[in-house]
Amino acid sequence: MVTMTKAPEVLLADVVDKAYDVIDANGYCKTYLYDTKQAAGGTSLKDCRVDLFGAINIAVHGTPRWVGGSNLVADTEKAVTTDCGAVSLAAWMTQKGHNKREALALLKRTSARLRLQAVTKA
């Protein structure tokens, strides 16, 4: 019997790709996990514009709020931070000029790097 499991890098890349899809579909906000004005107007939290943290949380938990119970969120945040060129994702998101396009590009870079690492380890 052969049991196949995903390499940790591939699992993280899958989360990053889902976070990409969330921002691509919902939009990007850089001030909080999700757009609180949208939420106050009745938009479901999972459908609000989100920042990188919110997108990763939706990818893992289905809500932009951190709910705990898994290291996958923190591990994914660390992986994206590696590629952002700033001390933290929070610092990167508050820098002028980092908008939806740059957030998506960052997630794409991280996913590609993680998948390449998985291939080179195999």
Side-chain angles (χ1 to χ4, degrees), residues 16-80:
V16 171
D17 290 343
K18 288 178 185 174
Y20 179 103
D21 291 343
V22 169
I23 290 175
D24 192 38
N26 295 11
Y28 179 71
C29 72
K30 60 192 283 178
T31 57
Y32 189 61
L33 297 170
Y34 57 93
D35 187 322
T36 57
K37 288 181 183 177
Q38 274 188 300
T43 302
S44 167
L45 292 184
K46 67 178 180 55
D47 296 322
C48 288
R49 286 183 292 271
V50 291
D51 69 2
L52 289 167
F53 296 123
I56 291 167
N57 277 309
I58 289 175
V60 175
H61 303 294
T63 178
R65 294 178 175 154
W66 188 79
V67 297
S70 168
N71 290 332
L72 194 52
V73 170
D75 292 345
T76 304
E77 289 172 0
K78 287 177 193 172
V80 178

